[in-house]
Amino acid sequence: MERLQVFNILNHEYLSQITLRLKENTCLNGLFERLKEKEIKIKFFTCHQQRDACLGVTFCVEKSYLKPVQEILFQLCPNEEDIQIHKDAGMVAIHGPHFAEIPGIIYMMHACLSSEGITVAAISTTVSTSYFVIPAADVVRAMDTLKSVFEIPRGKV
Amino acid sequence: MRLLGEISDTMEKGLISGIMQRGHLEAVLVSGVADDCAVGKIFQILAHQKINLEFINQIPNQKKNKNVVLCVDRKDIASTLALLREITPEDGDRDVRYLFPAGILSLFPHRESALIISMIVQCLVDGEIPLVAVASSLSSISCVVGEDRLHDALRLLGRNFGLS
């Protein structure tokens, strides 16, 4: 089968994933202001309003920054039930020119990972890039299977 | 792509290269999807009908299920809802909910910046514009807002971000 050409494929194996349930958007603003003060890069971020009107948020940071992030979280979100943390997360991403023109790229990417039994914890898709958060231990396997479906320019991986 | 140049003197500037706006969309929330297989089925059935997803995000909910927000072109909304309801019957925790006419504002680049996320949220809070969904990548950050507030959101973001 002919592989679909993309610009690049990205991956990260050393992340921690944080999922929050916030009752007010203003908490989100405060959280990211504090993360900015600590100069913590946000490797993955997505959020949406849920059925119960709370804001569901998932973001990833470098694993080495998890401790300061936890300190900020426990100050701003005292209800621990609203915080889920996965210490060992990874990420794969496809950066390609076709997202607006070719329906089904997300399906291809998702099916590719599912066929290997790789769990997808979160997805974020923008104009030309799709990020999938997966277990850190599965990143190498995910890259191998994505390369079987997507053609990446030589020297990009 | 529409570029904005108005810069606030009162707020620390988040420098961006530009903003792209896209309207004529419809937003849908699919809640309580059991597992990856069920999420995959959603993508599969829409892909087979050649329905392009202009925006997607998926996050886990408290019950360890998955919630998905999708945006499709207005011409595709009737068939999208019919297909989603066919594969996701509204029983128990699963639910397909049409949200409203929507637009997307994408800011370039994002560069993993917590400042940009914080400023976008602050702009929308200040403007009392409901934050429907946000997705980010290294190159951009995209916000879904109601289409009726798209121009308000664009004006607020333009006032608070500077062009690099």
Side-chain angles (χ1 to χ4, degrees), chain A residues 31-72:
Chain A
L31 169 63
F32 283 93
E33 263 183 14
R34 298 286 298 278
L35 295 175
K36 182 253 167 187
E37 285 165 15
K38 300 264 184 193
E39 298 184 350
I40 296 173
K41 293 278 186 189
I42 310 304
K43 297 291 180 180
F44 175 95
F45 171 77
T46 195
C47 71
H48 65 232
Q49 206 83 47
Q50 297 178 325
R51 242 184 330 187
D52 59 4
C54 287
L55 194 66
V57 181
T58 293
F59 67 98
C60 293
V61 296
E62 294 265 8
K63 208 161 125 179
S64 56
Y65 286 114
L66 182 58
K67 197 174 173 194
V69 171
Q70 278 178 310
E71 287 168 3
I72 294 169

Side-chain angles (χ1 to χ4, degrees), chain B residues 69-158:
Chain B
V69 167
L70 311 170
C71 288
V72 297
D73 191 278
R74 188 151 299 147
K75 69 177 169 42
D76 293 324
I77 186 61
S79 46
T80 297
L81 288 172
L83 290 164
L84 291 175
R85 287 179 174 144
E86 192 178 301
I87 58 166
T88 314
E90 295 186 28
D91 58 346
D93 208 33
R94 289 181 292 174
D95 180 39
V96 176
R97 186 167 298 189
Y98 166 68
L99 296 176
F100 37 66
I104 299 175
L105 292 171
S106 299
L107 283 70
F108 301 84
H110 176 222
R111 292 200 193 102
E112 304 170 343
S113 164
L115 171 67
I116 288 183
I117 296 171
S118 166
M119 286 180 66
I120 288 172
V121 174
Q122 186 63 53
C123 284
L124 298 179
V125 168
D126 288 349
E128 298 180 350
I129 298 169
L131 176 61
V132 181
V134 181
S136 76
S137 66
L138 191 62
S139 58
S140 66
I141 179 162
S142 296
C143 316
V144 179
V145 296
E147 194 173 36
D148 58 337
R149 304 300 308 276
L150 189 62
H151 291 291
D152 295 336
L154 187 62
R155 184 173 47 79
L156 282 164
L157 293 172

Side-chain angles (χ1 to χ4, degrees), chain B residues 7-79:
Chain B
I7 300 171
S8 164
D9 292 330
T10 56
M11 196 167 174
E12 189 176 358
K13 309 301 182 298
L15 288 178
I16 55 169
S17 302
I19 298 182
M20 186 171 76
Q21 67 168 325
R22 168 96 164 88
H24 210 261
L25 302 173
E26 302 285 348
V28 180
L29 169 64
V30 187
S31 301
V33 186
D35 53 26
D36 280 336
C37 183
V39 173
K41 189 83 179 164
I42 291 172
F43 296 149
Q44 180 185 32
I45 201 160
L46 295 175
H48 285 175
Q49 294 300 316
K50 302 203 181 311
I51 294 173
N52 198 31
L53 300 174
E54 304 282 347
F55 177 96
I56 306 162
N57 77 4
Q58 177 210 296
I59 58 176
N61 65 22
Q62 275 194 312
K63 295 177 181 173
K64 313 284 186 194
N65 292 324
K66 296 160 194 290
N67 294 345
V68 181
V69 167
L70 311 170
C71 288
V72 297
D73 191 278
R74 188 151 299 147
K75 69 177 169 42
D76 293 324
I77 186 61
S79 46

Side-chain angles (χ1 to χ4, degrees), chain A residues 66-149:
Chain A
L66 182 58
K67 197 174 173 194
V69 171
Q70 278 178 310
E71 287 168 3
I72 294 169
L73 282 173
F74 292 133
Q75 286 167 10
L76 295 178
C77 309
N79 188 357
E80 289 187 25
E81 288 175 5
D82 292 337
I83 305 172
Q84 297 169 36
I85 294 174
H86 296 279
K87 279 184 187 168
D88 298 306
M91 190 167 71
V92 287
I94 295 286
H95 176 52
H98 311 296
F99 291 179
E101 296 92 27
I102 303 176
I105 291 178
I106 288 292
Y107 165 59
M108 286 171 70
M109 204 172 160
H110 195 278
C112 188
L113 298 176
S114 292
S115 68
E116 288 291 315
I118 297 170
T119 306
V120 178
I123 300 172
S124 174
T125 295
T126 60
V127 179
S128 60
T129 311
S130 290
Y131 281 62
F132 282 46
V133 176
I134 60 176
D138 291 333
V139 169
V140 173
R141 205 154 48 93
M143 288 291 286
D144 287 342
T145 189
L146 287 172
K147 280 187 271 184
S148 70
V149 174

